[in-house]
């Protein structure tokens, strides 16, 4: 899905992250405006919801993950809506609707690949969290080995976590060097860098971390692991999105954005997509440059689409895999 997107990064440029100042009142005001807006309605809402499905990294990151529930996840990714619902929505049969990717732990990558092969959907990317997810508090050699193992097992996207210790102590060159090595370890796999914004302490640090990761070659920057106390918020998103815009103005390289954690409703998904369109343009509402890190979001989107098509909400029996 992102085969033509290759980000080689650039040299570390300390001048870009010196004296960073964030206009907190302006960012907060804009975020509040976004959060309080009314969602689109009727067929336009349904169209945005279908677009949102194609941007979901359908995720299972539980301690009790097994090949069985990974297989179930892959089946849902390959067929996110039932054929009956797609017929009710008058979906064009020649168009294939899948989620953007499935996201699993490294030791479940093989199981995911086997499940997607059985479903006949090997084109769906397998994303794997690596580098000591979610804390990243393991030796660098172990984190790099984890990336290589996931790629060898079939992962085509790697979600890495940055070294928050370096970020919080102002060692941005250290962050850059580690992310650069992780990018090299990814090989041809696309790399999403998780900033864990809830642990970075300030909006200035979030902006700096965003720029440093893009300099080091990140294909996407991602808000959170989903395991922090504070995950994706519109305030944080605006800071990261505008870092993406600033980086493009300097380098002409387009970097993707992935909010993760706490996004559970179809209405939320539509608001996030509208924000991407307003801030970065239509291109950033496709899964090439935008992803949701979510596990529960798809169920509510399916529920809302069922209501749009039939006028009533589904019973559990109508959503057996919801």
């Amino acid at each position: 899905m992102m085969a033509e997107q290759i980000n080689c990064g650039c040299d570390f440029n300390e001048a870009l992250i010196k004296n960073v100042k964030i206009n907190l009142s302006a960012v907060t005001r804009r975020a509040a405006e976004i959060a309080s807006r009314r969602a689109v309605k009727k067929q336009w809402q349904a169209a945005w919801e279908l677009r949102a499905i194609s941007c979901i990294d359908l995720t299972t990151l539980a301690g009790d993950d097994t090949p069985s529930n990974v297989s179930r996840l892959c089946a849902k990714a390959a067929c996110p809506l039932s054929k009956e619902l797609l017929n009710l929505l008058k979906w064009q049969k020649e168009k294939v609707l899948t989620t953007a990717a499935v996201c699993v732990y490294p030791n479940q990558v093989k199981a995911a690949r086997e499940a997607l092969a059985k479903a006949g959907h090997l084109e769906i990317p397998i994303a794997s969290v690596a580098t000591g997810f979610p804390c990243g508090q393991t030796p660098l050699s172990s984190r790099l080995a984890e990336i290589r193992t996931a790629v060898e097992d079939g992962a085509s996207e790697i979600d890495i976590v940055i070294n928050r210790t370096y970020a919080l102590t102002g060692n941005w060159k250290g962050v850059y060097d580690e992310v650069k090595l992780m990018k090299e370890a990814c090989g041809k796999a696309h790399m999403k860098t998780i900033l864990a914004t809830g642990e970075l302490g300030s909006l200035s640090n979030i902006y700096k971390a965003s720029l440093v990761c893009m300099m080091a070659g990140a294909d996407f920057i991602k808000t959170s692991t989903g395991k922090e106390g504070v995950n994706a918020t519109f305030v944080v998103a605006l800071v990261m999105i505008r870092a993406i815009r600033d980086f493009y103005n300097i380098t002409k390289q387009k970097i993707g954005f992935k909010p993760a954690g706490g996004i559970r409703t179809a209405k939320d998904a539509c608001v996030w997509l509208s924000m991407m369109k307003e801030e970065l343009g239509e291109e950033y509402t496709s899964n090439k440059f935008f992803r949701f890190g979510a596990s529960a979001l798809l169920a509510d989107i399916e529920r809302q689409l069922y209501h749009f098509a039939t006028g009533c909400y589904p019973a559990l029996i109508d959503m057996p895999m919801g």
Side-chain angles (χ1 to χ4, degrees), residues 196-200 206 223-233 236 260-262:
T197 54
E199 297 178 351
L200 288 184
I206 291 168
T223 59
S224 326
T225 64
K227 309 293 185 181
E228 298 96 64
V230 178
N231 294 295
T233 69
V236 161

Side-chain angles (χ1 to χ4, degrees), residues 110-176:
K110 285 184 178 179
R113 184 169 178 80
E114 290 170 4
L116 289 172
K118 287 180 182 177
H121 280 279
L122 275 173
E123 79 282 359
I124 298 175
I126 299 170
S128 180
V129 295
T131 64
F133 179 93
C135 297
Q137 295 284 4
T138 55
L140 178 60
S141 58
S142 299
R143 286 178 277 153
L144 296 176
E146 194 174 23
I147 293 172
R148 296 186 187 104
T149 298
V151 172
E152 288 169 5
D153 287 347
S156 54
E157 300 180 6
I158 300 292
D159 289 25
I160 64 102
V161 289
I162 69 167
N163 189 322
R164 274 88 90 195
T165 300
Y166 282 171
L168 289 169
T169 56
N171 184 2
W172 296 110
K173 182 62 163 60
V175 174
Y176 173 88

Side-chain angles (χ1 to χ4, degrees), residues 234-251:
F234 292 121
V235 170
V236 161
L238 283 170
V239 172
M240 295 175 67
I241 286 169
R242 290 175 181 181
I244 288 173
R245 190 165 63 195
D246 292 344
F247 187 76
Y248 174 75
N249 289 335
I250 296 167
T251 67

Side-chain angles (χ1 to χ4, degrees), residues 25-39:
S25 61
V27 173
T28 303
R29 185 169 59 250
R30 172 68 171 144
E33 174 194 326
I34 292 168
S36 62
R37 68 178 45 169
R38 290 175 60 85

